[in-house]
Amino acid sequence: MNAQGFHAAAIASALLLAAAPAAIAQTTGGSQGGVDGRNVSAATYGAGTITQNGAGVSGGGEAEAVDGTATTRSDAKLNNRRAMQRSTADARTEDERATSRTRTMVKPNQETIRSTTTSRYKERGAPPVRESVRTVTTPEGTTTRTKGPK
């Protein structure tokens, strides 16, 4: 499975918030990531959008395990100040585990979209491999910070 272009197995519905600033044309941002092992893989993504009419979030994930278990979950919440999306993917076998989670927060009043994806792979007897990608998107542009393997 390719973490950059996986197909979503679970998708959180887009949400709209009222009271977005009227000067915004459209701002879109998000993050994605995943890990692959010998018999397991997990990946998640999240995205947010701010428009003149409100804000929306979406996301999902995919998990695969050979002779093991795989689960995904996505949910989204909103109130009058923000929209938040969270996706998780987990794949396990007897000797391996791959997990990925993405959290995307949209604050239309501050005109910001923050999204973080954290992925982890652990094989029995070996140290865990972790990667974290954080993006902050404003109308001026996007800042991305990556920690861990590329």
Side-chain angles (χ1 to χ4, degrees):
M1 177 174 65
N2 180 345
Q4 297 297 323
F6 61 87
H7 296 287
I11 295 184
S13 299
L15 302 174
L16 292 178
L17 288 174
I24 299 174
Q26 180 170 331
T27 303
T28 302
S31 64
Q32 66 181 7
V35 289
D36 293 319
R38 287 179 298 122
N39 295 311
V40 295
S41 62
T44 56
Y45 71 94
T49 303
I50 302 172
T51 67
Q52 291 179 346
N53 299 322
V57 292
S58 64
E62 182 177 274
E64 296 178 14
V66 176
D67 296 328
T69 60
T71 60
T72 59
R73 178 178 175 168
S74 291
D75 59 47
K77 297 178 183 180
L78 76 141
N79 62 29
N80 59 354
R81 293 181 313 208
R82 69 179 181 185
M84 184 182 78
Q85 177 278 328
R86 185 175 19 215
S87 295
T88 61
D90 183 68
R92 299 177 189 219
T93 65
E94 197 171 298
D95 296 327
E96 294 178 281
R97 180 173 183 186
T99 60
S100 183
R101 72 173 183 238
T102 298
R103 180 174 180 256
T104 302
M105 177 87 62
V106 178
K107 293 187 177 180
N109 293 340
Q110 296 176 6
E111 299 183 28
T112 60
I113 301 165
R114 298 178 192 276
S115 187
T116 302
T117 298
T118 303
S119 302
R120 181 177 186 263
Y121 172 74
K122 173 76 170 96
E123 186 173 9
R124 187 179 302 215
V129 177
R130 295 184 182 106
E131 180 181 72
S132 179
V133 177
R134 178 179 171 92
T135 64
V136 178
T137 304
T138 64
E140 289 78 36
T142 299
T143 303
T144 301
R145 184 179 73 200
T146 302
K147 289 184 179 179
K150 306 265 184 235

mmCIF file of all heavy atoms in Angstrom, residues 84-128:
data_model
loop_
_atom_site.group_PDB
_atom_site.id
_atom_site.type_symbol
_atom_site.label_atom_id
_atom_site.label_comp_id
_atom_site.label_asym_id
_atom_site.label_seq_id
_atom_site.Cartn_x
_atom_site.Cartn_y
_atom_site.Cartn_z
ATOM 1 N N MET A 84 -13.792 19.524 13.645
ATOM 2 C CA MET A 84 -12.676 18.638 13.932
ATOM 3 C C MET A 84 -12.955 17.260 13.350
ATOM 4 O O MET A 84 -14.065 16.749 13.430
ATOM 5 C CB MET A 84 -12.451 18.499 15.439
ATOM 6 C CG MET A 84 -11.238 17.652 15.769
ATOM 7 S SD MET A 84 -10.981 17.421 17.530
ATOM 8 C CE MET A 84 -12.215 16.182 17.860
ATOM 9 N N GLN A 85 -11.933 16.667 12.752
ATOM 10 C CA GLN A 85 -12.020 15.334 12.173
ATOM 11 C C GLN A 85 -10.898 14.487 12.744
ATOM 12 O O GLN A 85 -9.791 14.972 12.934
ATOM 13 C CB GLN A 85 -11.916 15.427 10.646
ATOM 14 C CG GLN A 85 -11.930 14.127 9.910
ATOM 15 C CD GLN A 85 -10.585 13.434 9.861
ATOM 16 O OE1 GLN A 85 -9.534 14.052 9.843
ATOM 17 N NE2 GLN A 85 -10.621 12.129 9.866
ATOM 18 N N ARG A 86 -11.212 13.204 13.037
ATOM 19 C CA ARG A 86 -10.195 12.291 13.554
ATOM 20 C C ARG A 86 -10.371 10.938 12.879
ATOM 21 O O ARG A 86 -11.479 10.411 12.811
ATOM 22 C CB ARG A 86 -10.364 12.157 15.064
ATOM 23 C CG ARG A 86 -9.323 11.348 15.735
ATOM 24 C CD ARG A 86 -9.469 11.357 17.234
ATOM 25 N NE ARG A 86 -10.776 11.765 17.686
ATOM 26 C CZ ARG A 86 -11.004 12.469 18.783
ATOM 27 N NH1 ARG A 86 -10.006 12.844 19.535
ATOM 28 N NH2 ARG A 86 -12.218 12.780 19.137
ATOM 29 N N SER A 87 -9.272 10.392 12.368
ATOM 30 C CA SER A 87 -9.274 9.068 11.740
ATOM 31 C C SER A 87 -8.170 8.225 12.354
ATOM 32 O O SER A 87 -7.082 8.736 12.628
ATOM 33 C CB SER A 87 -9.026 9.165 10.233
ATOM 34 O OG SER A 87 -10.076 9.841 9.605
ATOM 35 N N THR A 88 -8.445 6.937 12.548
ATOM 36 C CA THR A 88 -7.437 6.004 13.034
ATOM 37 C C THR A 88 -7.480 4.738 12.198
ATOM 38 O O THR A 88 -8.529 4.338 11.695
ATOM 39 C CB THR A 88 -7.641 5.634 14.518
ATOM 40 O OG1 THR A 88 -8.929 5.009 14.653
ATOM 41 C CG2 THR A 88 -7.562 6.846 15.413
ATOM 42 N N ALA A 89 -6.319 4.114 12.042
ATOM 43 C CA ALA A 89 -6.197 2.829 11.354
ATOM 44 C C ALA A 89 -5.215 1.983 12.153
ATOM 45 O O ALA A 89 -4.181 2.477 12.596
ATOM 46 C CB ALA A 89 -5.694 3.019 9.920
ATOM 47 N N ASP A 90 -5.567 0.713 12.348
ATOM 48 C CA ASP A 90 -4.734 -0.179 13.141
ATOM 49 C C ASP A 90 -4.713 -1.556 12.480
ATOM 50 O O ASP A 90 -5.766 -2.084 12.116
ATOM 51 C CB ASP A 90 -5.306 -0.289 14.560
ATOM 52 C CG ASP A 90 -4.447 -1.144 15.464
ATOM 53 O OD1 ASP A 90 -3.334 -0.708 15.783
ATOM 54 O OD2 ASP A 90 -4.893 -2.249 15.832
ATOM 55 N N ALA A 91 -3.527 -2.111 12.304
ATOM 56 C CA ALA A 91 -3.374 -3.451 11.731
ATOM 57 C C ALA A 91 -2.404 -4.233 12.608
ATOM 58 O O ALA A 91 -1.345 -3.721 12.965
ATOM 59 C CB ALA A 91 -2.853 -3.376 10.301
ATOM 60 N N ARG A 92 -2.786 -5.490 12.954
ATOM 61 C CA ARG A 92 -1.961 -6.296 13.849
ATOM 62 C C ARG A 92 -1.869 -7.734 13.368
ATOM 63 O O ARG A 92 -2.838 -8.286 12.854
ATOM 64 C CB ARG A 92 -2.576 -6.370 15.244
ATOM 65 C CG ARG A 92 -2.733 -5.092 15.936
ATOM 66 C CD ARG A 92 -3.431 -5.340 17.263
ATOM 67 N NE ARG A 92 -3.784 -4.084 17.882
ATOM 68 C CZ ARG A 92 -3.697 -3.854 19.166
ATOM 69 N NH1 ARG A 92 -3.291 -4.800 19.976
ATOM 70 N NH2 ARG A 92 -4.023 -2.690 19.651
ATOM 71 N N THR A 93 -0.697 -8.290 13.575
ATOM 72 C CA THR A 93 -0.497 -9.736 13.460
ATOM 73 C C THR A 93 0.180 -10.154 14.762
ATOM 74 O O THR A 93 0.396 -9.332 15.657
ATOM 75 C CB THR A 93 0.385 -10.122 12.254
ATOM 76 O OG1 THR A 93 1.699 -9.596 12.460
ATOM 77 C CG2 THR A 93 -0.197 -9.615 10.946
ATOM 78 N N GLU A 94 0.536 -11.391 14.846
ATOM 79 C CA GLU A 94 1.186 -11.875 16.064
ATOM 80 C C GLU A 94 2.527 -11.184 16.314
ATOM 81 O O GLU A 94 2.909 -10.953 17.456
ATOM 82 C CB GLU A 94 1.391 -13.389 15.951
ATOM 83 C CG GLU A 94 1.663 -14.068 17.265
ATOM 84 C CD GLU A 94 1.635 -15.565 17.119
ATOM 85 O OE1 GLU A 94 0.576 -16.109 16.759
ATOM 86 O OE2 GLU A 94 2.693 -16.167 17.337
ATOM 87 N N ASP A 95 3.251 -10.841 15.259
ATOM 88 C CA ASP A 95 4.592 -10.265 15.398
ATOM 89 C C ASP A 95 4.726 -8.806 14.989
ATOM 90 O O ASP A 95 5.795 -8.217 15.173
ATOM 91 C CB ASP A 95 5.589 -11.074 14.560
ATOM 92 C CG ASP A 95 5.737 -12.494 15.054
ATOM 93 O OD1 ASP A 95 5.635 -12.704 16.280
ATOM 94 O OD2 ASP A 95 5.951 -13.382 14.216
ATOM 95 N N GLU A 96 3.687 -8.193 14.411
ATOM 96 C CA GLU A 96 3.794 -6.825 13.900
ATOM 97 C C GLU A 96 2.567 -6.008 14.275
ATOM 98 O O GLU A 96 1.484 -6.548 14.462
ATOM 99 C CB GLU A 96 3.881 -6.817 12.375
ATOM 100 C CG GLU A 96 5.104 -7.424 11.777
ATOM 101 C CD GLU A 96 5.004 -7.371 10.276
ATOM 102 O OE1 GLU A 96 4.304 -8.228 9.696
ATOM 103 O OE2 GLU A 96 5.607 -6.461 9.692
ATOM 104 N N ARG A 97 2.770 -4.681 14.304
ATOM 105 C CA ARG A 97 1.648 -3.764 14.497
ATOM 106 C C ARG A 97 1.936 -2.472 13.745
ATOM 107 O O ARG A 97 3.043 -1.930 13.820
ATOM 108 C CB ARG A 97 1.448 -3.454 15.970
ATOM 109 C CG ARG A 97 0.287 -2.514 16.199
ATOM 110 C CD ARG A 97 -0.007 -2.336 17.654
ATOM 111 N NE ARG A 97 -1.182 -1.478 17.803
ATOM 112 C CZ ARG A 97 -1.624 -1.052 18.952
ATOM 113 N NH1 ARG A 97 -1.018 -1.405 20.058
ATOM 114 N NH2 ARG A 97 -2.675 -0.268 19.000
ATOM 115 N N ALA A 98 0.940 -1.989 13.016
ATOM 116 C CA ALA A 98 1.034 -0.709 12.316
ATOM 117 C C ALA A 98 -0.175 0.134 12.720
ATOM 118 O O ALA A 98 -1.307 -0.364 12.707
ATOM 119 C CB ALA A 98 1.040 -0.912 10.805
ATOM 120 N N THR A 99 0.066 1.386 13.101
ATOM 121 C CA THR A 99 -1.020 2.287 13.454
ATOM 122 C C THR A 99 -0.798 3.633 12.790
ATOM 123 O O THR A 99 0.336 4.038 12.536
ATOM 124 C CB THR A 99 -1.121 2.502 14.980
ATOM 125 O OG1 THR A 99 0.096 3.074 15.453
ATOM 126 C CG2 THR A 99 -1.403 1.207 15.712
ATOM 127 N N SER A 100 -1.890 4.320 12.499
ATOM 128 C CA SER A 100 -1.827 5.664 11.952
ATOM 129 C C SER A 100 -3.037 6.431 12.470
ATOM 130 O O SER A 100 -4.125 5.862 12.607
ATOM 131 C CB SER A 100 -1.837 5.628 10.422
ATOM 132 O OG SER A 100 -1.707 6.938 9.893
ATOM 133 N N ARG A 101 -2.838 7.697 12.776
ATOM 134 C CA ARG A 101 -3.966 8.532 13.189
ATOM 135 C C ARG A 101 -3.779 9.933 12.637
ATOM 136 O O ARG A 101 -2.656 10.437 12.543
ATOM 137 C CB ARG A 101 -4.132 8.547 14.699
ATOM 138 C CG ARG A 101 -3.080 9.309 15.418
ATOM 139 C CD ARG A 101 -3.380 9.438 16.908
ATOM 140 N NE ARG A 101 -2.336 10.240 17.491
ATOM 141 C CZ ARG A 101 -1.555 9.857 18.465
ATOM 142 N NH1 ARG A 101 -1.704 8.682 19.004
ATOM 143 N NH2 ARG A 101 -0.624 10.664 18.924
ATOM 144 N N THR A 102 -4.883 10.542 12.263
ATOM 145 C CA THR A 102 -4.874 11.911 11.744
ATOM 146 C C THR A 102 -5.934 12.714 12.484
ATOM 147 O O THR A 102 -7.058 12.245 12.675
ATOM 148 C CB THR A 102 -5.165 11.943 10.233
ATOM 149 O OG1 THR A 102 -4.147 11.220 9.557
ATOM 150 C CG2 THR A 102 -5.202 13.369 9.703
ATOM 151 N N ARG A 103 -5.561 13.917 12.877
ATOM 152 C CA ARG A 103 -6.500 14.836 13.515
ATOM 153 C C ARG A 103 -6.417 16.156 12.769
ATOM 154 O O ARG A 103 -5.328 16.720 12.619
ATOM 155 C CB ARG A 103 -6.123 15.042 14.972
ATOM 156 C CG ARG A 103 -7.051 15.987 15.708
ATOM 157 C CD ARG A 103 -6.678 16.009 17.191
ATOM 158 N NE ARG A 103 -7.537 16.903 17.910
ATOM 159 C CZ ARG A 103 -7.182 18.112 18.337
ATOM 160 N NH1 ARG A 103 -5.962 18.550 18.102
ATOM 161 N NH2 ARG A 103 -8.019 18.862 18.996
ATOM 162 N N THR A 104 -7.564 16.627 12.291
ATOM 163 C CA THR A 104 -7.628 17.880 11.536
ATOM 164 C C THR A 104 -8.588 18.823 12.245
ATOM 165 O O THR A 104 -9.724 18.443 12.545
ATOM 166 C CB THR A 104 -8.091 17.636 10.095
ATOM 167 O OG1 THR A 104 -7.192 16.710 9.476
ATOM 168 C CG2 THR A 104 -8.119 18.922 9.291
ATOM 169 N N MET A 105 -8.129 20.051 12.502
ATOM 170 C CA MET A 105 -8.932 21.051 13.195
ATOM 171 C C MET A 105 -9.062 22.276 12.305
ATOM 172 O O MET A 105 -8.054 22.821 11.840
ATOM 173 C CB MET A 105 -8.247 21.443 14.500
ATOM 174 C CG MET A 105 -8.949 22.517 15.268
ATOM 175 S SD MET A 105 -10.204 21.909 16.366
ATOM 176 C CE MET A 105 -9.238 20.898 17.452
ATOM 177 N N VAL A 106 -10.300 22.718 12.069
ATOM 178 C CA VAL A 106 -10.571 23.904 11.252
ATOM 179 C C VAL A 106 -11.189 24.963 12.148
ATOM 180 O O VAL A 106 -12.188 24.713 12.823
ATOM 181 C CB VAL A 106 -11.539 23.573 10.093
ATOM 182 C CG1 VAL A 106 -11.837 24.823 9.286
ATOM 183 C CG2 VAL A 106 -10.973 22.484 9.220
ATOM 184 N N LYS A 107 -10.559 26.137 12.175
ATOM 185 C CA LYS A 107 -11.078 27.275 12.938
ATOM 186 C C LYS A 107 -11.321 28.430 11.967
ATOM 187 O O LYS A 107 -10.400 29.191 11.661
ATOM 188 C CB LYS A 107 -10.099 27.681 14.033
ATOM 189 C CG LYS A 107 -9.968 26.617 15.118
ATOM 190 C CD LYS A 107 -9.137 27.112 16.260
ATOM 191 C CE LYS A 107 -9.091 26.064 17.340
ATOM 192 N NZ LYS A 107 -8.288 26.519 18.483
ATOM 193 N N PRO A 108 -12.555 28.554 11.467
ATOM 194 C CA PRO A 108 -12.820 29.587 10.454
ATOM 195 C C PRO A 108 -12.633 31.013 10.965
ATOM 196 O O PRO A 108 -12.203 31.878 10.205
ATOM 197 C CB PRO A 108 -14.261 29.334 10.029
ATOM 198 C CG PRO A 108 -14.826 28.390 11.015
ATOM 199 C CD PRO A 108 -13.720 27.741 11.747
ATOM 200 N N ASN A 109 -12.905 31.280 12.243
ATOM 201 C CA ASN A 109 -12.730 32.637 12.765
ATOM 202 C C ASN A 109 -11.266 33.046 12.786
ATOM 203 O O ASN A 109 -10.942 34.218 12.654
ATOM 204 C CB ASN A 109 -13.327 32.752 14.164
ATOM 205 C CG ASN A 109 -14.832 32.609 14.144
ATOM 206 O OD1 ASN A 109 -15.466 32.794 13.105
ATOM 207 N ND2 ASN A 109 -15.412 32.263 15.260
ATOM 208 N N GLN A 110 -10.353 32.087 12.958
ATOM 209 C CA GLN A 110 -8.924 32.366 12.938
ATOM 210 C C GLN A 110 -8.314 32.095 11.562
ATOM 211 O O GLN A 110 -7.115 32.283 11.372
ATOM 212 C CB GLN A 110 -8.209 31.507 13.982
ATOM 213 C CG GLN A 110 -8.628 31.826 15.394
ATOM 214 C CD GLN A 110 -7.989 30.888 16.407
ATOM 215 O OE1 GLN A 110 -7.148 30.067 16.072
ATOM 216 N NE2 GLN A 110 -8.392 31.020 17.653
ATOM 217 N N GLU A 111 -9.109 31.608 10.633
ATOM 218 C CA GLU A 111 -8.693 31.291 9.264
ATOM 219 C C GLU A 111 -7.528 30.300 9.249
ATOM 220 O O GLU A 111 -6.596 30.432 8.456
ATOM 221 C CB GLU A 111 -8.321 32.561 8.499
ATOM 222 C CG GLU A 111 -9.471 33.543 8.357
ATOM 223 C CD GLU A 111 -9.099 34.760 7.544
ATOM 224 O OE1 GLU A 111 -8.212 34.657 6.678
ATOM 225 O OE2 GLU A 111 -9.702 35.820 7.767
ATOM 226 N N THR A 112 -7.581 29.265 10.123
ATOM 227 C CA THR A 112 -6.505 28.276 10.179
ATOM 228 C C THR A 112 -7.039 26.854 10.083
ATOM 229 O O THR A 112 -8.129 26.548 10.565
ATOM 230 C CB THR A 112 -5.688 28.384 11.487
ATOM 231 O OG1 THR A 112 -6.566 28.157 12.597
ATOM 232 C CG2 THR A 112 -4.996 29.709 11.615
ATOM 233 N N ILE A 113 -6.245 26.019 9.444
ATOM 234 C CA ILE A 113 -6.493 24.578 9.366
ATOM 235 C C ILE A 113 -5.218 23.910 9.874
ATOM 236 O O ILE A 113 -4.149 24.104 9.313
ATOM 237 C CB ILE A 113 -6.781 24.125 7.927
ATOM 238 C CG1 ILE A 113 -7.988 24.866 7.367
ATOM 239 C CG2 ILE A 113 -6.976 22.603 7.865
ATOM 240 C CD1 ILE A 113 -8.144 24.760 5.872
ATOM 241 N N ARG A 114 -5.331 23.135 10.943
ATOM 242 C CA ARG A 114 -4.193 22.411 11.508
ATOM 243 C C ARG A 114 -4.475 20.928 11.367
ATOM 244 O O ARG A 114 -5.545 20.463 11.742
ATOM 245 C CB ARG A 114 -3.997 22.752 12.982
ATOM 246 C CG ARG A 114 -3.689 24.188 13.236
ATOM 247 C CD ARG A 114 -3.549 24.468 14.738
ATOM 248 N NE ARG A 114 -3.537 25.882 14.995
ATOM 249 C CZ ARG A 114 -2.478 26.661 14.929
ATOM 250 N NH1 ARG A 114 -1.325 26.144 14.595
ATOM 251 N NH2 ARG A 114 -2.550 27.946 15.175
ATOM 252 N N SER A 115 -3.503 20.198 10.849
ATOM 253 C CA SER A 115 -3.677 18.760 10.652
ATOM 254 C C SER A 115 -2.388 18.038 11.021
ATOM 255 O O SER A 115 -1.301 18.450 10.614
ATOM 256 C CB SER A 115 -4.052 18.465 9.193
ATOM 257 O OG SER A 115 -4.374 17.105 9.038
ATOM 258 N N THR A 116 -2.514 16.964 11.799
ATOM 259 C CA THR A 116 -1.362 16.169 12.212
ATOM 260 C C THR A 116 -1.647 14.699 11.946
ATOM 261 O O THR A 116 -2.701 14.192 12.333
ATOM 262 C CB THR A 116 -1.055 16.359 13.710
ATOM 263 O OG1 THR A 116 -0.829 17.744 13.960
ATOM 264 C CG2 THR A 116 0.164 15.560 14.124
ATOM 265 N N THR A 117 -0.715 14.038 11.290
ATOM 266 C CA THR A 117 -0.787 12.594 11.068
ATOM 267 C C THR A 117 0.424 11.965 11.733
ATOM 268 O O THR A 117 1.560 12.366 11.482
ATOM 269 C CB THR A 117 -0.796 12.258 9.569
ATOM 270 O OG1 THR A 117 -1.953 12.844 8.976
ATOM 271 C CG2 THR A 117 -0.821 10.745 9.344
ATOM 272 N N THR A 118 0.167 10.978 12.581
ATOM 273 C CA THR A 118 1.225 10.245 13.267
ATOM 274 C C THR A 118 1.081 8.772 12.918
ATOM 275 O O THR A 118 -0.003 8.205 13.053
ATOM 276 C CB THR A 118 1.122 10.436 14.790
ATOM 277 O OG1 THR A 118 1.165 11.829 15.076
ATOM 278 C CG2 THR A 118 2.256 9.730 15.506
ATOM 279 N N SER A 119 2.167 8.157 12.461
ATOM 280 C CA SER A 119 2.163 6.742 12.074
ATOM 281 C C SER A 119 3.265 6.017 12.831
ATOM 282 O O SER A 119 4.326 6.590 13.101
ATOM 283 C CB SER A 119 2.385 6.593 10.570
ATOM 284 O OG SER A 119 1.392 7.299 9.862
ATOM 285 N N ARG A 120 3.004 4.737 13.149
ATOM 286 C CA ARG A 120 3.955 3.956 13.942
ATOM 287 C C ARG A 120 3.939 2.508 13.465
ATOM 288 O O ARG A 120 2.874 1.935 13.227
ATOM 289 C CB ARG A 120 3.560 4.020 15.407
ATOM 290 C CG ARG A 120 4.468 3.272 16.353
ATOM 291 C CD ARG A 120 3.975 3.488 17.788
ATOM 292 N NE ARG A 120 4.877 2.908 18.742
ATOM 293 C CZ ARG A 120 4.722 1.710 19.289
ATOM 294 N NH1 ARG A 120 3.699 0.957 18.955
ATOM 295 N NH2 ARG A 120 5.590 1.253 20.159
ATOM 296 N N TYR A 121 5.132 1.918 13.336
ATOM 297 C CA TYR A 121 5.279 0.500 12.986
ATOM 298 C C TYR A 121 6.173 -0.158 14.024
ATOM 299 O O TYR A 121 7.226 0.385 14.390
ATOM 300 C CB TYR A 121 5.901 0.338 11.598
ATOM 301 C CG TYR A 121 6.258 -1.093 11.280
ATOM 302 C CD1 TYR A 121 5.269 -2.020 10.973
ATOM 303 C CD2 TYR A 121 7.572 -1.522 11.319
ATOM 304 C CE1 TYR A 121 5.586 -3.348 10.702
ATOM 305 C CE2 TYR A 121 7.903 -2.837 11.039
ATOM 306 C CZ TYR A 121 6.910 -3.750 10.739
ATOM 307 O OH TYR A 121 7.220 -5.049 10.480
ATOM 308 N N LYS A 122 5.753 -1.312 14.523
ATOM 309 C CA LYS A 122 6.523 -2.040 15.530
ATOM 310 C C LYS A 122 6.552 -3.516 15.173
ATOM 311 O O LYS A 122 5.525 -4.129 14.938
ATOM 312 C CB LYS A 122 5.866 -1.865 16.911
ATOM 313 C CG LYS A 122 6.479 -2.700 18.026
ATOM 314 C CD LYS A 122 7.777 -2.108 18.483
ATOM 315 C CE LYS A 122 8.269 -2.780 19.759
ATOM 316 N NZ LYS A 122 9.224 -3.839 19.565
ATOM 317 N N GLU A 123 7.770 -4.050 15.083
ATOM 318 C CA GLU A 123 7.963 -5.481 14.867
ATOM 319 C C GLU A 123 8.549 -6.056 16.154
ATOM 320 O O GLU A 123 9.399 -5.421 16.790
ATOM 321 C CB GLU A 123 8.914 -5.722 13.695
ATOM 322 C CG GLU A 123 9.058 -7.168 13.327
ATOM 323 C CD GLU A 123 9.870 -7.354 12.053
ATOM 324 O OE1 GLU A 123 10.457 -6.384 11.548
ATOM 325 O OE2 GLU A 123 9.908 -8.489 11.565
ATOM 326 N N ARG A 124 8.095 -7.245 16.529
ATOM 327 C CA ARG A 124 8.572 -7.871 17.753
ATOM 328 C C ARG A 124 10.105 -7.957 17.748
ATOM 329 O O ARG A 124 10.706 -8.391 16.770
ATOM 330 C CB ARG A 124 7.985 -9.268 17.903
ATOM 331 C CG ARG A 124 8.328 -9.899 19.255
ATOM 332 C CD ARG A 124 7.711 -11.248 19.382
ATOM 333 N NE ARG A 124 6.270 -11.112 19.214
ATOM 334 C CZ ARG A 124 5.371 -11.842 19.861
ATOM 335 N NH1 ARG A 124 5.756 -12.765 20.690
ATOM 336 N NH2 ARG A 124 4.087 -11.663 19.648
ATOM 337 N N GLY A 125 10.698 -7.494 18.847
ATOM 338 C CA GLY A 125 12.144 -7.547 18.981
ATOM 339 C C GLY A 125 12.890 -6.372 18.379
ATOM 340 O O GLY A 125 14.116 -6.296 18.485
ATOM 341 N N ALA A 126 12.205 -5.464 17.740
ATOM 342 C CA ALA A 126 12.842 -4.304 17.106
ATOM 343 C C ALA A 126 12.253 -3.020 17.695
ATOM 344 O O ALA A 126 11.113 -3.019 18.171
ATOM 345 C CB ALA A 126 12.618 -4.334 15.598
ATOM 346 N N PRO A 127 13.006 -1.929 17.650
ATOM 347 C CA PRO A 127 12.452 -0.660 18.139
ATOM 348 C C PRO A 127 11.352 -0.155 17.201
ATOM 349 O O PRO A 127 11.354 -0.475 16.006
ATOM 350 C CB PRO A 127 13.651 0.284 18.143
ATOM 351 C CG PRO A 127 14.607 -0.309 17.172
ATOM 352 C CD PRO A 127 14.381 -1.785 17.195
ATOM 353 N N PRO A 128 10.409 0.639 17.711
ATOM 354 C CA PRO A 128 9.344 1.180 16.855
ATOM 355 C C PRO A 128 9.886 2.224 15.872
ATOM 356 O O PRO A 128 10.870 2.900 16.146
ATOM 357 C CB PRO A 128 8.378 1.819 17.836
ATOM 358 C CG PRO A 128 9.172 2.084 19.055
ATOM 359 C CD PRO A 128 10.261 1.051 19.103
#
